[in-house]
Amino acid sequence: MRKLAKVITLRGILLSGTGFIATSLVAAQPLSPPLSATLEAANQQHQTSQQQWIARQWRARMDTPLARFVRNPEQRQMLLTHIYQEARLAGLPPDLVLALIQVESAFKADAISSAGAVGLMQIMPFWVSELGLPLDDLTHPPRNLRYGCTILAHYLAIENGDFTRALARYNGSLGETWYPERVMHAWRDTWRAFAPR
């Protein structure tokens, strides 16, 4: 029963908020520019002007290190916006999510591992049947980020805020430290150096 309650809670997080539109039949198709602007404006309506300013500052600072991985400035800003929103929704530090993506996929949205993990945050397809909808496209960055941030937040809650153990669970290597060390190293050396103080 406890597992069922956790799955229901995770499913609620996964389907809530800004990511819900990505579960529709048009999820795999990019939104037209006017619709994207409308959705973005709706997503920011619940933020105070100070929160919007903080988000803009964060995106501006993270743009420089992300340019190593994503050359197109518009794609970088769109990706940073999604990462910031999904990390905040899940209660995660957005620059930690950047570090995890760097280690997992080097920011390649279409990456597929030898184990079958998909997308930016390398989500295993079984999570779709556990938490999502059959139409979910794990190569679609907003949807992939929603899954990854939700899963990592879940593991962080299970591990009482212990990032090392939560990251090891995320990778499927609980009890080992090599993976958390890689993510924490990328977080410290690449992303935290640019994070707003």
Side-chain angles (χ1 to χ4, degrees):
M1 187 65 172
R2 184 178 285 171
K3 182 179 178 185
L4 179 61
K6 286 179 184 174
V7 169
I8 290 170
T9 302
L10 281 173
R11 186 181 294 256
I13 292 169
L14 192 63
L15 296 177
S16 69
T18 60
F20 186 74
I21 195 165
T23 64
S24 70
L25 288 172
V26 295
Q29 299 173 0
L31 297 174
S32 64
L35 185 54
S36 294
T38 303
L39 180 61
E40 181 66 25
N43 288 339
Q44 291 197 2
Q45 282 179 355
H46 68 280
Q47 293 182 338
T48 66
S49 56
Q50 182 181 14
Q51 289 169 327
Q52 290 177 27
W53 181 84
I54 290 168
R56 280 193 303 273
Q57 292 297 309
W58 182 85
R59 285 193 309 265
R61 289 178 186 243
M62 295 302 126
D63 189 72
T64 299
L66 187 56
R68 283 179 41 206
F69 302 97
V70 180
R71 293 185 183 193
N72 183 297
E74 290 176 8
Q75 288 178 348
R76 280 197 309 273
Q77 285 303 301
M78 186 180 308
L79 183 58
L80 286 168
T81 297
H82 288 303
I83 289 170
Y84 189 86
Q85 288 173 342
E86 294 303 330
R88 289 297 183 199
L89 181 65
L92 299 170
D95 26 303
L96 171 65
V97 174
L98 284 166
L100 187 145
I101 295 169
Q102 177 185 342
V103 170
E104 286 288 349
S105 68
F107 295 90
K108 292 177 176 65
D110 59 352
I112 300 177
S113 76
S114 58
V118 179
L120 292 171
M121 295 186 77
Q122 291 291 278
I123 308 303
M124 291 298 288
F126 75 82
W127 282 110
V128 174
S129 60
E130 287 269 335
L131 302 173
L133 299 173
L135 296 172
D136 284 346
D137 177 2
L138 294 176
T139 64
H140 185 58
R143 204 69 192 139
N144 190 279
L145 291 166
R146 173 61 57 94
Y147 273 89
C149 290
T150 301
I151 294 163
L152 182 56
H154 173 66
Y155 287 146
L156 198 56
I158 287 174
E159 295 298 344
N160 298 311
D162 184 326
F163 281 110
T164 299
R165 289 183 60 83
L167 287 166
R169 276 188 185 272
Y170 187 91
N171 176 255
S173 59
L174 187 60
E176 300 178 29
T177 61
W178 63 269
Y179 177 81
E181 287 171 3
R182 284 185 65 197
V183 174
M184 299 301 262
H185 178 79
W187 188 18
R188 183 192 65 228
D189 294 349
T190 304
W191 306 104
R192 287 187 84 181
F194 289 90
R197 301 283 178 226

